[in-house]
Amino acid sequence: TLHIARPEKGKTLADFQNIYNSIAEKMKSESAYDDGTGYGPVLVRLSWHSSATYDKNDNSGGSYGGTFRFKKEASDVLSKGLENATKFLDPIHSEYPWLSHGDLYTLGGVTALQELGGPKTPWRPGRVDTGPETVPAHGRLPIPEGNASYVRNYYDRFGFNDQEVVALLGAHILGKTHLKNSGYDGPWDDDTNIFSNEFFGNLLERKWTLEKNAASNMQYNAKGGIMMLPTDYALVQDPKYLKYVKKYADDQDAFFSDFRDIYVKLLERGISFDDSIEPLVFKTLKEQLK
Ligand code: HEM
Ligand SMILES: N=C(N)c1ccsc1
């Protein structure tokens, strides 16, 4: 499968900054969502799930076709909860009908990441909606019960190495699990909507206990109401991953720049962009205050 980027005709940075601002303003006005977590984390998760169907073996899946808009894809039980993110973005799509769904879902994640204090993340438009026949079969999303070799093998399908996998999973500093969505529970601390390298410090510094949760799933819990999925905890069980967990726990700047790079790689995986066109870097709402 060939995915050639076709940027929307005549649209400039200003046009896309307007969409960024619409999403960011809506995040601000609906900050009470999910007990005050806000929409940022679930928007980041949607940008990941809409890219997580990628398979390097035939270049299928990924963010290009915007196929997460189809129930056939969005109904994957492992995507439960993301209907909150697509519903949040529906009015944005109505306001800017010329924006493809692939561009909408990825721009939503970039906006959320920056508004939650994450790194400035370059973004390129040009994803083109494809039809329902292009929706990949279920089974391409990762399961939370996996161990380190499961995680390594899973991301091999994207061609991501150990360093990239550890950086990428640092996104789990954002948001939380919900028993009704995934059958996992927590964290219950309040600052789950500020992007930082704390996920790695938590993994290394806290005392983790493997416990059965209310849905009879095994998860790692620590004092102070924080938790880790088995796939999160795998990062300190595997010596090759552990090396990068330590690097990122010690060096926020290294984490921010490595996360930015692998997040862009994820959102663009499988797409051929015209490299003569500069990627767009958006201002945060705060940076635009008069
Ligand atoms: C081994 C790979 C991964 C697994 C098994 C996994 C699994 C999960 C699960 C079970 C949840 C809880 C969903 C819920 O109950 O609402 C979750 C939430 C989340 N995931 Fe992941 N995830 C993975 C990778 C990623 C990646 C690569 C990103 C982004 C780059 C990401 C971003 C998020 C975010 C931001 C949330 C919080 C969503 C919310 O607060 O509603 N995850 N993930
Ligand atoms: N706190 C975590 N480990 C987490 C947050 C979202 S998914 C897992």
Side-chain angles (χ1 to χ4, degrees), residues 75-89:
S75 62
D76 190 324
V77 68
L78 289 166
S79 286
K80 195 141 181 359
L82 290 178
E83 62 281 356
N84 296 298
T86 49
K87 285 196 187 85
F88 175 94
L89 290 174

Side-chain angles (χ1 to χ4, degrees), residues 41 45 48 142 155 168-169 171-172 174-178 181-182 231:
R45 187 174 185 229
W48 144 238
Y155 279 107
L168 193 59
L169 272 170
H172 276 178
L174 295 176
K176 56 179 95 161
T177 66
H178 309 78
N181 291 346
S182 61
T231 45

Side-chain angles (χ1 to χ4, degrees), residues 17-180:
Q17 182 76 60
N18 286 339
I19 302 177
Y20 176 108
N21 291 349
S22 296
I23 295 169
E25 295 289 358
K26 191 170 167 39
M27 281 171 61
K28 253 172 72 174
S29 63
E30 298 178 24
S31 60
Y33 168 74
D34 199 13
D35 302 331
T37 299
Y39 276 95
V42 76
L43 286 169
V44 170
R45 187 174 185 229
L46 174 63
S47 71
W48 144 238
H49 273 224
S50 65
S51 308
T53 54
Y54 183 74
D55 187 336
K56 73 180 183 187
N57 296 300
D58 57 1
N59 205 53
S60 63
S63 68
Y64 184 80
T67 51
F68 199 93
R69 72 188 189 278
F70 294 117
K71 195 166 170 37
K72 185 180 159 200
E73 181 164 334
S75 62
D76 190 324
V77 68
L78 289 166
S79 286
K80 195 141 181 359
L82 290 178
E83 62 281 356
N84 296 298
T86 49
K87 285 196 187 85
F88 175 94
L89 290 174
D90 282 343
I92 305 291
H93 184 253
S94 307
E95 193 181 349
Y96 303 95
W98 52 266
L99 187 74
S100 69
H101 285 85
D103 283 354
L104 175 65
Y105 299 148
T106 54
L107 181 53
V110 168
T111 303
L113 180 67
Q114 292 197 176
E115 292 299 301
L116 298 184
K120 277 299 178 77
T121 302
W123 178 82
R124 294 191 277 188
R127 296 167 188 76
V128 179
D129 285 6
T130 55
E133 74 289 347
T134 64
V135 174
H138 289 188
R140 294 191 181 200
L141 297 176
I143 60 166
E145 293 77 25
N147 60 17
S149 47
Y150 169 83
V151 172
R152 184 168 283 112
N153 180 56
Y154 175 80
Y155 279 107
D156 185 54
R157 204 186 70 207
F158 296 73
F160 293 168
N161 63 35
D162 289 349
Q163 171 269 316
E164 291 172 319
V165 168
V166 174
L168 193 59
L169 272 170
H172 276 178
I173 190 56
L174 295 176
K176 56 179 95 161
T177 66
H178 309 78
L179 279 171
K180 62 185 185 309

